[in-house]
C-alpha cells in the first residue's frame, strides 16, 4: 500500500469532516478506495495538404472515493492534461519540463433512495452514451453542476443542470439536459436499450465559443462568436448479446440541433465484438460517424475524430488485446474528412497505438 498517497488523502478528508472518529486506529482505511490508470500512446496525424505529425503522449488518472455514510460518497480525482475539458493527454516534449496534474473530479453522490441518486460538483458524466458514443460527449469531459439519476426496473433517466461559462459582466451560460430510456430483456443473452434526450444551452448567440474561443467546426460570425443556439434532441439504441461466448454490442446514436438553419444533424453507428478485460481476451470496434457543423457544441464532443469537434465524417476502427489482467495493448485508426461545410474538404487521418495499465 502506497502510504505517501493514502496519508495526504486521509488528512484531507479528516480536515473537511468527511471522516468520523475511528473506532480503531485504522478504521478510516475501510472508508477509502482507490483506482487509476496510466496510458502511453504513439500518435500519427496526416492532414491533407499539411506535413504529417508524429508524437508520443501519456495520460494518468488517480481517483479516491471516501464513504461519508452508507448512502453518501465523496469522489476526488486528478488527471494529467492541463485544463483542456476533452483531453487528459500530455505530449512528451518541452525539454523534460514538469507536467501538470490537475483536479479532474470533486463531487458527492447521495443515494436518496434505491431508485434516485443525486450528484453535485465536478462529476463523471451522468449521461447515458450508447456504445460509449462520443457524438455529443468526449470520454474525458467531467461536467460541473448537479444531476439526478433515476433507475427503476427497466426504466432509467437523468436530469442535469450544469454551469458552462460564468461571465462577470454578462449573462452566464448553462446547460440543462434530460435523458430517459428503457432496457428491454429480449432473452437470456440479449437486451435492447432505447431512449431519447434533450440538451439546451443558454446564452450562446453573440458569445465566443466555450473554453478557449475555438469554434472547432461550429458556425461563428466575423467576430468569432456563435450565431446559433444549441438545443439538441438525441435518440439512441443499443443492442447487447453474446455469440459463442463473444459479447457483441451494436448501437446507433442520432442528434439534431433544432435551432440551426442548416448542417444541424449528426449520427454514429457502431459495433463492438469481444471484451479485453482478462489476460488473453480481445475486442474489435468499428464506428461510422457523421457530425454536421452545428449538430452539437463542438467544444465537448470527440477530440480525436476529424480535427476534433464537428464538421467531419468518416470511420473509426479499434482493436485491443489484454496482455495480462489490467494491462492492454491496442490501436485506433481514424479515416475522416473535415471542413465539408465550412471550407475546403480535406482528408484527416490519425493512428494511435496505446499501452494501458489499470488498477483498482
Amino acid at each position: 500500500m502506497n502510504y505517501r498517497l493514502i496519508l495526504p488523502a486521509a488528512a484531507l478528508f479528516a480536515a473537511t469532516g468527511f471522516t468520523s472518529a475511528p473506532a480503531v486506529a485504522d478504521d478510516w482505511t475501510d472508508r477509502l478506495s482507490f483506482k487509476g490508470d496510466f496510458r502511453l500512446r504513439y500518435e500519427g496525424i496526416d492532414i491533407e495538404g499539411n506535413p504529417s505529425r508524429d508524437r508520443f503522449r501519456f495520460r494518468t488518472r488517480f481517483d479516491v472515493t471516501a464513504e461519508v455514510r452508507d448512502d453518501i460518497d465523496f469522489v476526488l480525482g486528478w488527471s494529467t492534461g492541463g485544463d483542456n475539458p476533452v483531453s487528459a493527454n500530455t505530449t512528451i516534449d518541452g525539454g523534460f519540463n514538469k507536467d501538470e496534474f490537475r483536479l479532474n473530479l470533486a463531487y458527492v453522490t447521495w443515494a436518496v433512495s434505491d431508485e434516485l441518486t443525486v450528484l453535485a460538483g465536478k462529476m463523471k458524466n451522468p449521461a447515458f452514451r450508447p456504445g460509449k458514443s462520443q457524438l455529443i460527449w468526449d470520454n474525458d469531459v467531467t461536467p460541473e453542476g448537479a444531476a439526478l439519476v433515476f433507475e427503476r426496473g427497466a426504466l432509467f433517466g437523468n436530469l442535469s443542470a450544469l454551469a458552462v461559462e460564468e461571465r462577470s459582466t454578462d449573462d452566464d451560460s448553462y446547460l440543462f439536459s434530460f435523458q430517459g430510456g428503457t432496457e428491454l430483456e429480449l432473452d437470456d443473452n440479449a437486451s435492447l436499450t432505447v431512449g431519447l434526450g434533450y440538451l439546451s444551452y443558454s446564452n450562446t448567440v453573440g458569445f465566443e465559443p466555450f473554453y478557449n474561443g475555438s469554434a472547432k467546426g461550429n458556425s461563428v460570425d466575423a467576430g468569432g462568436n456563435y450565431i446559433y443556439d444549441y438545443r439538441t434532441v438525441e435518440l439512441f439504441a443499443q443492442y447487447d448479446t453474446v455469440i459463442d461466448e463473444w459479447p457483441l454490442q451494436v448501437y446507433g446514436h442520432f442528434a439534431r440541433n433544432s435551432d440551426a438553419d442548416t448542417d444541424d444533424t449528426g449520427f454514429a453507428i457502431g459495433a463492438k465484438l469481444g471484451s479485453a478485460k482478462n489476460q488473453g481476451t480481445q475486442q474489435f470496434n468499428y464506428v461510422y460517424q457523421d457530425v454536421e457543423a452545428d449538430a452539437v457544441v463542438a467544444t465537448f464532443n470527440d477530440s480525436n475524430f476529424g480535427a476534433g469537434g464537428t464538421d467531419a465524417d468518416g470511420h473509426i476502427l479499434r482493436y485491443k488485446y489484454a496482455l495480462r489482467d489490467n494491462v492492454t495493448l491496442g490501436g485506433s485508426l481514424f479515416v475522416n474528412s473535415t471542413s465539408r461545410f465550412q471550407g475546403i474538404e480535406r482528408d484527416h487521418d490519425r493512428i494511435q497505438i496505446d499501452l494501458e495499465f489499470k488498477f483498482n
Side-chain angles (χ1 to χ4, degrees):
M1 185 175 291
N2 191 336
Y3 287 96
R4 280 184 289 182
L5 290 173
I6 293 175
L7 290 175
L12 171 64
F13 297 131
T16 54
F18 282 110
T19 58
S20 57
V24 293
D26 63 349
D27 184 59
W28 59 269
T29 61
D30 297 332
R31 295 179 172 270
L32 300 179
S33 60
F34 306 87
K35 72 175 183 177
D37 61 72
F38 176 69
R39 183 182 70 196
L40 291 167
R41 167 174 288 176
Y42 160 77
E43 184 171 52
I45 304 173
D46 186 6
I47 304 173
E48 183 179 355
N50 289 43
S52 60
R53 182 182 185 185
D54 299 280
R55 60 183 177 182
F56 292 91
R57 315 188 86 188
F58 69 88
R59 181 194 72 187
T60 186
R61 298 176 296 191
F62 180 76
D63 301 341
V64 182
T65 300
E67 181 185 322
V68 182
R69 296 174 54 90
D70 290 343
D71 55 350
I72 301 175
D73 287 339
F74 172 64
V75 181
L76 192 62
W78 299 265
S79 74
T80 50
D83 61 356
N84 190 337
V86 292
S87 177
N89 292 307
T90 293
T91 301
I92 299 175
D93 67 353
F96 310 140
N97 61 302
K98 305 301 182 185
D99 293 309
E100 294 183 82
F101 203 52
R102 293 196 176 210
L103 188 68
N104 187 48
L105 296 168
Y107 70 102
V108 171
T109 67
W110 180 11
V112 179
S113 68
D114 292 339
E115 300 170 346
L116 183 65
T117 301
V118 178
L119 294 79
K122 185 170 183 61
M123 68 189 86
K124 290 186 177 180
N125 198 329
F128 176 82
R129 297 183 298 127
K132 295 185 178 180
S133 167
Q134 298 185 79
L135 179 68
I136 298 175
W137 294 110
D138 186 274
N139 288 333
D140 287 323
V141 173
T142 53
E144 299 165 9
L148 302 177
V149 179
F150 172 82
E151 185 173 353
R152 181 177 184 179
L155 301 175
F156 67 90
N158 57 77
L159 181 67
S160 300
L162 306 173
V164 184
E165 194 73 53
E166 188 274 334
R167 302 181 180 95
S168 59
T169 59
D170 217 322
D171 294 331
D172 301 335
S173 291
Y174 294 92
L175 169 60
F176 301 96
S177 66
F178 161 81
Q179 279 185 324
T182 183
E183 182 179 359
L184 306 172
E185 297 295 332
L186 304 181
D187 59 41
D188 291 341
N189 290 318
S191 65
L192 176 64
T193 303
V194 295
L196 56 83
Y198 180 71
L199 301 90
S200 178
Y201 287 83
S202 66
N203 300 316
T204 55
V205 174
F207 292 100
E208 70 174 14
F210 302 127
Y211 172 54
N212 62 359
S214 174
K216 298 179 68 176
N218 286 155
S219 297
V220 293
D221 61 22
N225 299 317
Y226 287 125
I227 64 174
Y228 293 123
D229 286 321
Y230 289 86
R231 297 186 173 95
T232 299
V233 175
E234 64 167 331
L235 303 173
F236 54 82
Q238 176 180 299
Y239 175 73
D240 293 275
T241 189
V242 178
I243 299 176
D244 195 23
E245 298 185 354
W246 283 75
L248 173 65
Q249 184 178 86
V250 181
Y251 74 90
H253 196 187
F254 172 85
R256 181 178 181 273
N257 176 18
S258 62
D259 203 73
D261 295 332
T262 185
D263 303 329
D264 58 359
T265 302
F267 69 89
I269 301 172
K272 181 180 77 168
L273 179 65
S275 179
K277 291 185 178 180
N278 301 319
Q279 182 174 352
T281 57
Q282 55 189 324
Q283 70 184 52
F284 304 83
N285 296 68
Y286 170 76
V287 180
Y288 179 79
Q289 185 163 287
D290 185 325
V291 55
E292 294 179 345
D294 294 297
V296 300
V297 171
T299 305
F300 302 123
N301 75 328
D302 194 338
S303 63
N304 293 308
F305 184 77
T310 61
D311 197 14
D313 74 335
H315 309 270
I316 308 170
L317 297 93
R318 290 191 170 97
Y319 172 76
K320 185 180 290 187
Y321 179 79
L323 299 171
R324 307 178 73 172
D325 291 357
N326 298 322
V327 181
T328 60
L329 178 65
S332 301
L333 175 65
F334 296 78
V335 182
N336 308 146
S337 296
T338 62
S339 301
R340 297 173 302 150
F341 310 109
Q342 299 186 0
I344 299 173
E345 182 173 349
R346 296 190 295 176
D347 292 336
H348 194 295
D349 302 329
R350 185 187 304 252
I351 186 171
Q352 299 169 338
I353 299 175
D354 297 330
L355 179 62
E356 189 168 5
F357 307 82
K358 294 183 179 182
F359 69 90
N360 51 30

